[in-house]
Amino acid sequence: MTKHFRPKRSRYVTLTIMGAAAFALAGCKDDSQVDAQAFPDLASCEQAAGAGGEFTAEQCRTAFAQAQELNVESAPRYDSLQVCEEEHGAGNCGSEEQATGQQSSGGMGSIFMPLLAGYLIGNMLGGRGSAQPLYRNGQGGYTNADRSATFSTNNGKAKLNQGLFKKPASTIGKAPMTKATAVSRGGFGSSATTRSFGG
C-alpha cells in the first residue's frame, strides 16, 4: 500500500517588503489582502511620496492623523512605567500626556502608554484609507494597538490582512493594565499564531 504524503501547508506567507526587513503578522481574522506600508514617522512617508511612492503626501498626512487619533483612543494603558516598559521595552513608554500630547483621560491615577513608533497605512486605493499606530513590543519588534500583530520593522511594504485595519477597542477611561493583567494576557504576540513574512 502506498501512502500519499501531502506536504503540510505552511501557515507562513511570503511577501516582498521593499527596503526593509521582514514583517511578522499574527492573529487577523479577515483574510482579504490589501496593499500596506509602514513608516517610522510622517516625514518618511512624505519623503517616499515625493520620490514617487505608492501614497501621496496628502494620504501620508491623513493616515498619520488617523494613527495619532487611534493612539489616543486605543493605545495600551498601564498603571506603571515599569509594566509598560516590560511590555514595550525600556525607554519606549511615557506618561499618558507624553504619549498622546493630551491631558490624562482622568480618574485612574497615573497612566503610562507606549510611545508611537510609526504607523501603518493600508487600503488607500479607492479612497478608503486606513491607518494603525505602531509601538515597540519589547522584543525588538513592533506591534499595533490591539496587539493582534507583530512586525520586525516599522518600515516596509507588504500585503496584509484587511482585518488588521479594523478600529481597535478604546482604552480611554478603562482601568489601566497592571502587572497581573499584562501577565494574564501573556504579553504581546502570545494570543495568536505568528506568521513570518520573507523579504
Side-chain angles (χ1 to χ4, degrees), residues 98-113:
Q98 290 171 322
T100 64
Q102 299 181 356
Q103 291 296 315
S104 172
S105 57
M108 297 299 204
S110 297
I111 295 176
F112 297 88
M113 299 169 59

Side-chain angles (χ1 to χ4, degrees), residues 76-154:
R77 287 172 159 80
Y78 301 93
D79 70 343
S80 74
L81 181 61
Q82 179 185 358
V83 174
C84 185
E85 289 189 337
E86 287 173 358
E87 298 294 325
H88 299 278
N92 296 321
C93 294
S95 67
E96 186 174 32
E97 292 80 13
Q98 290 171 322
T100 64
Q102 299 181 356
Q103 291 296 315
S104 172
S105 57
M108 297 299 204
S110 297
I111 295 176
F112 297 88
M113 299 169 59
L115 301 174
L116 193 63
Y119 68 114
L120 190 62
I121 306 175
N123 201 23
M124 294 303 283
L125 298 176
R128 299 181 307 152
S130 186
Q132 290 286 315
L134 293 176
Y135 308 99
R136 298 304 302 247
N137 69 2
Q139 287 85 42
Y142 299 85
T143 188
N144 56 349
D146 67 5
R147 306 182 302 170
S148 63
T150 56
F151 307 93
S152 60
T153 180
N154 64 350

Side-chain angles (χ1 to χ4, degrees), residues 13 15 25-36 120-124 128 130 158-166 195 197:
V13 178
L15 296 176
L25 170 68
C28 295
K29 294 179 181 170
D30 185 345
D31 290 335
S32 60
Q33 301 282 298
V34 296
D35 291 323
L120 190 62
I121 306 175
N123 201 23
M124 294 303 283
R128 299 181 307 152
S130 186
K159 285 204 176 284
L160 299 176
N161 291 344
Q162 175 64 42
L164 183 63
F165 292 95
K166 289 181 182 174
R195 293 184 285 174
F197 293 54

Side-chain angles (χ1 to χ4, degrees), residues 3-26:
K3 289 188 174 183
H4 297 280
F5 293 98
R6 296 175 68 186
K8 288 187 177 179
R9 186 178 178 122
S10 174
R11 298 180 81 180
Y12 293 85
V13 178
T14 301
L15 296 176
T16 301
I17 300 173
M18 299 176 65
F23 275 114
L25 170 68

Side-chain angles (χ1 to χ4, degrees), residues 50-69:
E54 190 168 322
F55 303 106
T56 66
E58 181 60 31
Q59 288 173 323
C60 290
R61 289 188 286 272
T62 299
F64 186 70
Q66 288 175 348
Q68 286 183 307
E69 185 176 319

